[in-house]
């Protein structure tokens, strides 16, 4: 029988082989030949394309639903929020599948293929018959009620895109962060920087999307507007495959949270039974004082199973303790979801002319969020972090939770400004006699809406990036795909909450004589909705501060470590 020291050595070696980075051939990864920024850049490029694709569909969706599909404003907003909720919750399943069976690399490839399929179907759905001629109504142009086949095919295609995002989103970012060794001080700093530049690249791609595709969709055609993202996603998959030989891979099969929870229960029962047998044998023949902890009948694999059971319990506790932070960020996600729905409908009512011949598409105003992020992230990464690092001694300058809270405060300010701007817009529409003329632009420049978009962008730099790093760093190492899926689920649940709020408020206010979300926004009161979200965000921020102050980081040594230079 192996001695206790031999058994421990075997266990350590087994765990080390399972958790160590491997190269394309399954050998221990050479740090000089794999990983690092070289590999991460391939993955960042893929994420830029994926965000271009996703926002190419979602950013202007409100105008497609209220235009070619003929839905009302409240119904369209609720449908988009529900779809976004599914799209942001599915990463929980995608992350679990990647950790349990497929691994991150294979999941990314499969999700990319699903993306291409869904986008191709979306483009095709725009060419299906819209309906018979007598269903057309004149309302600022001929709009036909779509056929049932077109609507069904469109939503099936749209939800295939949601499924694709569910596999793609949690794995790409985790796979990118995997290219940096957290045990190496220099690569640890690079990994923190990676999250900043990841979001920078993602938002740069989004900014291009919002300007280019919204113009194509509004002025050329929705078929081309959905077809371009399909081609971009196909190119992104090719780029990702080019980097295959440079990546670092981690063996994650069998480590999924749900599977490990089942294993924990089975092992607990087995351990309980085995413990009773050992207790009975010890009562008959007590062991010597220096005897090994395990009985002769328990081999190394059984010892590993017992130890793994303890690890499973710790992993479950590690996930559960993140819940207060997760829950305290839900209202941030509710506020965030308004930028692609009611913000866009507001913008559509304004004077959007720049010069004599250029009219900005309403969805393109969302590009101010992305432009703000692109401007602020280099300043944050290259100026604010080094300066704050000198005072705090933390590699990231400020803690992840401090960063998240700062963004939540900026989001609250954005909702206050949005409410004030909408109140002013309603006043201008009334003074101009346009209350009952929703097709006539309100004599108010689009620049009035820029501050709320800019504040949202600034909030994203802090909260979005902070949440990504927090949920990657604070989950157990074997569950990082699932950790990023938990981050995305905040926005999924937030979208469902937003959808429910819109539906309930629309029903209640309609019964009282006038919906806040009237199809004619000049007779609505979206400003009241913004004030409600601002008040709820203030309450949420107070709760978040309490949970953040009492939270204990998984690795306090890493959080408080200093960086030379």
């Amino acid at each position: 029988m192996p001695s206790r020291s031999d058994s421990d050595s075997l266990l350590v070696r087994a765990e080390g082989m399972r958790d160590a980075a491997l190269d394309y051939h399954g050998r221990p990864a050479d740090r000089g030949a794999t990983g690092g920024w070289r590999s991460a850049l391939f993955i960042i490029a893929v994420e830029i394309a994926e965000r271009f694709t996703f926002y190419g569909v979602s950013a202007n969706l409100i105008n497609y639903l209220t235009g070619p599909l003929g839905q009302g404003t409240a119904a369209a907003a609720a449908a988009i929020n529900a779809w976004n909720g599914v799209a942001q919750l599915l990463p929980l399943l995608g992350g679990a599948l990647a950790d349990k069976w497929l691994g991150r690399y294979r999941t990314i490839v499969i999700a990319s293929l699903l993306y291409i399929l869904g986008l191709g179907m979306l483009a095709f759905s725009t060419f299906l018959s819209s309906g018979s001629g007598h269903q057309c109504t004149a309302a600022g142009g001929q709009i036909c009620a779509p056929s049932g086949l077109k609507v069904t095919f469109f939503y099936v295609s749209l939800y295939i895109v949601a499924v694709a995002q569910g596999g793609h989103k949690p794995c790409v970012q985790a796979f990118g962060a995997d290219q940096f060794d957290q045990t190496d001080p220099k690569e640890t700093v690079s990994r923190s920087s990676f999250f900043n530049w990841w979001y920078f690249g993602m938002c740069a791609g989004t900014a291009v999307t919002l300007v280019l595709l919204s113009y194509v969709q509004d002025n050329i055609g929705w078929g081309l507007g959905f077809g371009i993202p399909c081609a971009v996603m196909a190119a992104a998959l090719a780029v990702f495959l080019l980097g295959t030989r440079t990546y670092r891979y981690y063996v994650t099969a069998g480590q999924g949270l749900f599977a490990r929870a089942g294993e924990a229960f089975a092992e607990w029962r087995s351990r309980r039974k085995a413990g009773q047998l050992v207790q009975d044998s010890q009562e008959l023949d007590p062991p010597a004082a220096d005897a090994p902890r395990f009985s002769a009948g328990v081999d190394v694999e059984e010892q590993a199973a017992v130890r793994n059971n303890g690890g499973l319990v710790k992993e479950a506790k590690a996930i559960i303790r993140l819940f207060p932070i997760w829950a305290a960020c839900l209202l941030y996600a509710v506020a965030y979801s308004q930028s692609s729905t009611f913000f866009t409908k507001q913008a559509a009512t304004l004077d959007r002319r720049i010069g004599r011949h250029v009219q900005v598409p309403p969805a393109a105003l969302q590009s101010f969020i992305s432009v703000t992020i692109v401007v602020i992230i280099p300043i944050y990464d290259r100026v604010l972090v080094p300066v704050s690092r000198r005072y705090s001694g933390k590699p990231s300058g400020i803690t992840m939770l401090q960063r998240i809270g700062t963004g939540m405060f900026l989001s609250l300010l954005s909702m206050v400004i949005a409410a004030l701007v909408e109140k002013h817009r309603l006043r201008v529409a009334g003074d101009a006699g346009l209350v009952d003329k929703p097709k006539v632009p309100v004599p108010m420049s689009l620049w009035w809406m820029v501050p709320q978009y800019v504040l949202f962008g600034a909030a994203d730099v802090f909260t979005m990036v902070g949440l990504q790093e927090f949920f990657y760093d604070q989950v157990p190492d074997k569950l990082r795909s699932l950790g990023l899926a938990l981050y995305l689920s905040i926005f999924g649940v937030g979208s469902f909450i937003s959808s429910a709020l819109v539906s309930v408020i629309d029903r209640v206010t309609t019964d009282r004589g006038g919906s806040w979300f009237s199809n004619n926004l000049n007779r609505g009161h979206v400003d009241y909705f913004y004030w409600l979200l601002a008040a709820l965000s203030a309450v949420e921020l107070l709760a978040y501060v309490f949970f953040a102050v009492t939270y204990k980081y998984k690795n306090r040594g890493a959080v408080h470590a200093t960086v030379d230079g």
Side-chain angles (χ1 to χ4, degrees):
M1 178 187 118
S3 67
R4 177 179 177 183
S5 61
D6 291 337
S7 300
D8 288 346
S9 176
L10 287 170
L11 289 168
V12 169
R13 287 174 60 192
E15 290 295 317
M17 286 297 294
R18 184 172 62 187
D19 296 338
L22 305 176
D23 65 11
Y24 173 72
H25 299 288
R27 299 172 301 205
D30 182 348
R31 184 177 295 171
T34 63
W37 280 110
R38 176 183 55 181
S39 298
L41 288 176
F42 278 108
I43 301 168
I44 289 175
V46 172
E47 178 64 7
I48 292 173
E50 190 271 341
R51 289 294 88 185
F52 179 95
T53 294
F54 187 79
Y55 282 106
V57 173
S58 65
N60 206 20
L61 198 54
I62 187 81
N63 284 331
Y64 187 76
L65 295 184
T66 57
L69 287 194
Q71 295 184 357
T73 299
I80 291 170
N81 285 328
W83 173 73
N84 267 316
V86 172
Q88 305 295 354
L89 283 177
L90 279 174
L92 285 170
L93 177 60
L97 289 174
D99 288 341
K100 167 61 179 173
W101 287 295
L102 298 174
R104 289 162 194 156
Y105 177 86
R106 292 189 186 91
T107 304
I108 293 167
V109 173
I110 294 171
S112 298
L113 293 172
L114 279 176
Y115 248 127
I116 295 167
L117 173 64
L119 292 164
M121 291 174 62
L122 272 180
F124 179 73
S125 74
T126 65
F127 297 107
L128 295 177
S129 173
S130 293
S132 59
H134 70 274
Q135 293 175 295
C136 297
T137 58
Q142 293 293 319
I143 300 177
C144 296
S147 66
L149 174 62
K150 179 170 182 174
V151 173
T152 301
F153 197 86
F154 170 80
Y155 274 107
V156 169
S157 307
L158 192 64
Y159 276 88
I160 289 176
V161 172
V163 172
Q165 133 118 354
H168 204 281
K169 191 63 178 171
C171 296
V172 174
Q173 191 169 16
F175 193 58
D178 284 346
Q179 306 310 309
F180 301 94
D181 186 354
Q182 64 179 346
T183 65
D184 181 85
K186 291 184 179 180
E187 291 200 17
T188 298
V189 174
S190 294
R191 193 189 75 177
S192 182
S193 185
F194 163 80
F195 283 97
N196 290 328
W197 290 105
W198 171 274
Y199 208 59
F200 174 90
M202 185 181 79
C203 292
T206 302
V208 175
T209 301
L210 295 171
V211 174
L212 173 63
L213 287 184
S214 60
Y215 178 84
V216 170
Q217 290 163 351
D218 287 347
N219 296 280
I220 300 177
W222 288 94
L224 184 60
F226 291 144
I228 291 173
C230 182
V232 170
M233 199 65 224
L237 176 58
V239 169
F240 180 72
L241 294 175
L242 285 175
T244 297
R245 294 180 179 274
T246 74
Y247 300 142
R248 293 176 186 169
Y249 301 86
Y250 288 84
V251 178
T252 59
Q255 305 304 321
L257 177 64
F258 307 128
R260 292 177 70 81
E263 290 171 6
F265 179 73
E267 288 295 339
W268 174 78
R269 293 185 62 186
S270 175
R271 186 180 181 188
R272 186 178 181 184
K273 182 177 180 181
Q276 184 63 48
L277 291 174
V278 170
Q279 180 179 358
D280 292 344
S281 65
Q282 287 178 342
E283 289 175 356
L284 294 174
D285 186 15
D290 60 347
R293 181 172 51 184
F294 294 95
S295 67
V298 181
D299 62 17
V300 173
E301 290 184 1
E302 290 171 333
Q303 294 179 36
V306 172
R307 295 190 182 186
N308 283 340
N309 183 55
L312 291 167
V313 174
K314 289 182 180 179
E315 288 174 8
K317 290 180 178 179
I319 295 294
I320 292 171
R321 74 190 188 94
L322 299 177
F323 179 76
I325 301 297
W326 181 91
C329 293
L330 290 176
L331 262 296
Y332 175 87
V334 174
Y336 177 80
S337 66
Q338 310 316 314
S339 63
S340 62
T341 53
F342 291 120
F343 279 21
T344 301
K345 293 301 291 183
Q346 277 181 280
T349 69
L350 302 181
D351 180 0
R352 293 174 279 109
R353 292 174 297 174
I354 298 179
R356 292 183 178 181
H357 305 292
V358 178
Q359 178 160 290
V360 178
L365 266 68
Q366 295 176 56
S367 64
F368 284 106
I369 297 177
S370 302
V371 170
T372 301
I373 293 168
V374 168
V375 170
I376 292 180
I377 279 183
I379 297 173
Y380 181 90
D381 192 72
R382 298 303 180 187
V383 178
L384 295 180
V385 169
V387 170
S388 58
R389 184 185 295 154
R390 293 179 182 177
Y391 294 96
S392 67
K394 302 178 180 67
S396 58
I398 59 176
T399 67
M400 292 173 280
L401 291 176
Q402 289 170 344
R403 183 172 185 172
I404 294 167
T406 301
M408 292 172 67
F409 176 72
L410 293 174
S411 173
L412 189 160
L413 289 182
S414 178
M415 296 313 301
V416 170
I417 290 177
L420 293 173
V421 169
E422 175 61 7
K423 182 179 180 180
H424 178 70
R425 191 194 69 80
L426 292 173
R427 186 185 303 117
V428 171
D431 292 344
L434 299 176
V435 172
D436 292 316
K437 298 178 180 179
K439 298 297 180 181
V440 179
V442 175
M444 177 176 166
S445 172
L446 63 87
W447 302 110
W448 277 89
M449 291 192 66
V450 171
Q452 66 201 60
Y453 283 111
V454 169
L455 276 173
F456 251 128
D460 281 2
V461 170
F462 289 90
T463 297
M464 289 285 217
V465 182
L467 284 171
Q468 290 169 16
E469 185 172 6
F470 178 80
F471 280 94
Y472 177 87
D473 185 77
Q474 292 299 295
V475 298
D477 293 350
K478 300 179 181 67
L479 300 177
R480 282 174 168 165
S481 294
L482 200 60
L484 288 172
L486 284 172
Y487 142 71
L488 291 169
S489 72
I490 292 173
F491 296 89
V493 174
S495 292
F496 281 123
I497 293 173
S498 179
S499 180
L501 273 176
V502 170
S503 297
V504 170
I505 291 172
D506 180 59
R507 188 180 308 115
V508 171
T509 55
T510 297
D511 291 342
R512 294 185 177 183
S515 172
W516 287 4
F517 314 117
S518 171
N519 292 339
N520 176 4
L521 283 191
N522 295 337
R523 286 203 169 275
H525 269 294
V526 179
D527 55 329
Y528 293 172
F529 184 54
Y530 293 157
W531 282 121
L532 174 63
L533 292 183
L536 293 174
S537 296
V539 174
E540 173 200 48
L541 183 58
L542 292 175
Y544 173 83
V545 170
F546 172 78
F547 291 128
V549 168
T550 57
Y551 182 83
K552 293 183 180 180
Y553 286 93
K554 180 182 76 172
N555 187 352
R556 296 189 63 86
V559 171
H560 296 286
T562 59
V563 178
D564 294 337

